[in-house]
Amino acid sequence: MRAPHAAAVRAVYARLLEGYGPQGWWPAETPFEVMVGAILTQNAAWANVERAIARLRAAGLLAPEALAALPPEAIAPHIRPAGYFNVKARRLAAYCRWYLAAGGLEGLARRPTEALRRALLAVHGVGPETADDILLYAFGRPVFVIDAYTRRIFSRLGLAEAGWGYERLRAWFEAALEPDPDLFGEYHALIVRHAKAACRKRPACAGCVLRGDCSTGAGA
Ligand code: SF4
């Protein structure tokens, strides 16, 4: 039986898709590039992540073997545009060592989703959002990614509580939708697009594609 909030969650998706069109995420050429991007995008604007990835590619370092072979201090200068580059260099190095030891993409792809998620969360510097970005966009698993934008939009809509934790909100989405990785990936991308285009810290409710269904926008 579908959750009581399913119709509302699906209606928001339909309006966002109609308003913005398909977003075509994740912008990467390979699953490994998705993983690198997911680690570098922590507290960083995507444009800066792209610059860091371009520098890694130009240096021949956009491969797990190449990054695992370097000490973090040798990785850090290449990812400087992404910010927190010393921290992220340690995280990238740790991730690549774990990734190779676990059998790389093929070895990890054989693991069931919950086991893979637990393993990702045990890697240095990988939190729930990063793990779920990787599960969804690199491994094609039906795991809904939660971020600050998701929490902001759905609490303003009056559908979710702002104080819900990550796992509660993730379970809430997953109970409302078919477990379809393409749907989950597109929905998360549309949420990010909407948070940047209209539902910013100071929301631009006039003309918002969700205004008709939004308890915040209705009074704005
Ligand atoms: S109407 Fe305003 S608060 Fe509601 S989703 Fe749109 S921008 Fe956000």
Side-chain angles (χ1 to χ4, degrees), residues 1-2 32 41 51 65 69 72-73 109 123 127 154 156 169 188 210:
M1 197 176 73
R2 195 165 284 166
F32 182 70
T41 200
R51 287 171 56 216
E65 297 81 1
E73 53 272 25
V123 179
F154 283 81
R156 284 178 177 170
L169 198 49
H188 176 61
L210 301 179

Side-chain angles (χ1 to χ4, degrees), residues 152-154 156-157 194 197-200 202-218 220:
R152 178 202 293 167
I153 292 170
F154 283 81
R156 284 178 177 170
L157 288 170
H194 182 59
C199 205
R200 301 187 286 266
R202 177 182 281 187
C205 300
C208 169
V209 296
L210 301 179
R211 190 172 186 181
D213 297 315
C214 181
S215 55
T216 304

Side-chain angles (χ1 to χ4, degrees), residues 35 98-99 102-113 116 138-141:
M35 299 170 198
W98 167 80
Y99 178 79
L105 191 67
E106 277 186 27
L108 290 166
R110 284 195 286 271
R111 300 192 190 186
T113 299
L116 183 53
F139 289 99
R141 304 300 175 89

